[in-house]
């Protein structure tokens, strides 16, 4: 079991990364080559081999982190993830586009995955936030952890879900992501549109 003091529940690795460390509640993890979590909606191919550090929480919550990624290959990403099983999960990604632009991307998987590019980010860091509201979830991003912008709202299967951190390198040799300023609270997000 792994402890991060902002998170009230111990975390466990669902597939361990190439390397990782936690210092002063900052998590750094490196995913190895050809690692991804994606169920292709067009051809049905599954990639289910990316490392995730997750914990279970089934109450309303708000969970955020500053995500910094050492981008190398296309689709490299640092991610906040919600995971139930191989074909029911969602991820909010800070990802490297095919044109080498850092951007916020979201994926929701219900049998197969969708894939939604949202906004370009200037730099290698952004704040991401996952919120649970009743039986649904909301994704937001921010440049300063003060003003939040909605990416999407959605539901997964009823029941238990794990939430946490993910790193992927679908096309490249490896990807390192750092998760800092981690925050977690049992609080219901009042307004998904404004993020407040």
């Amino acid at each position: 079991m792994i402890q991060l003091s902002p998170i009230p529940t111990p975390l466990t690795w669902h597939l361990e990364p190439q390397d990782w460390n936690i210092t002063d509640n900052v998590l750094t993890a490196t995913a190895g080559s050809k690692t991804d979590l994606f169920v292709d909606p067009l051809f049905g191919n599954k990639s289910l081999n990316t490392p995730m550090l997750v914990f279970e929480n089934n109450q309303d919550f708000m969970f955020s982190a500053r995500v910094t990624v050492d981008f190398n290959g296309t689709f490299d990403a640092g991610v906040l993830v919600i995971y139930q099983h191989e074909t029911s999960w969602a991820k909010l990604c800070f990802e490297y586009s095919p044109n080498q632009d850092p951007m916020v991307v979201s994926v929701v998987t219900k049998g197969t995955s969708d894939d939604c590019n949202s906004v370009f980010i200037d730099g290698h860091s952004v704040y991401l936030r996952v919120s649970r509201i009743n039986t649904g979830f909301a994704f937001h991003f921010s440049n300063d952890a003060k003003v939040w912008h909605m990416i999407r709202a959605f539901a997964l299967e009823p029941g238990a879900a794990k939430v946490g951190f993910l790193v992927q390198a679908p096309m490249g040799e490896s990807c390192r992501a750092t998760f800092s300023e981690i925050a977690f609270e049992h609080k219901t997000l009042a307004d998904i549109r404004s993020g407040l």
Side-chain angles (χ1 to χ4, degrees), residues 63 67 77-82 89-95 103-108 116 118 127-131 138-142 148-152 154 164 166 179:
F63 167 54
V67 182
V79 179
L80 298 187
V81 64
I82 303 160
W89 51 264
K91 59 182 183 179
L92 179 59
C93 313
F94 185 36
E95 186 173 289
M103 66 187 312
V104 176
V105 175
S106 65
V107 179
V108 174
C116 181
S118 294
Y127 292 88
L128 301 179
R129 189 179 70 192
V130 175
S131 302
F139 283 165
H140 292 79
F141 84 95
S142 175
W148 292 92
H149 306 278
M150 179 180 167
I151 295 299
R152 68 194 300 174
F154 59 94
L166 179 155
F179 303 89

Side-chain angles (χ1 to χ4, degrees), residues 50-116:
T50 196
M52 290 182 280
L53 182 63
V54 292
F55 61 101
E56 190 165 319
N57 192 289
N58 299 314
Q59 303 175 52
D60 285 9
F61 64 78
M62 296 168 66
F63 167 54
S64 63
R66 184 174 187 258
V67 182
T68 303
V69 183
D70 297 339
F71 293 117
N72 294 301
T74 300
F75 307 131
D76 280 4
V79 179
L80 298 187
V81 64
I82 303 160
Y83 188 83
Q84 292 181 309
H85 55 75
E86 289 184 349
T87 54
S88 181
W89 51 264
K91 59 182 183 179
L92 179 59
C93 313
F94 185 36
E95 186 173 289
Y96 211 35
S97 79
N99 295 325
Q100 300 184 331
D101 294 309
M103 66 187 312
V104 176
V105 175
S106 65
V107 179
V108 174
T109 297
K110 301 177 182 180
T112 58
S113 302
D114 66 18
D115 197 355
C116 181

Side-chain angles (χ1 to χ4, degrees), residues 166-183:
L166 179 155
V167 187
Q168 64 182 46
M171 306 294 288
E173 293 304 312
S174 66
C175 174
R176 183 174 68 178
T178 300
F179 303 89
S180 58
E181 300 179 49
I182 298 165

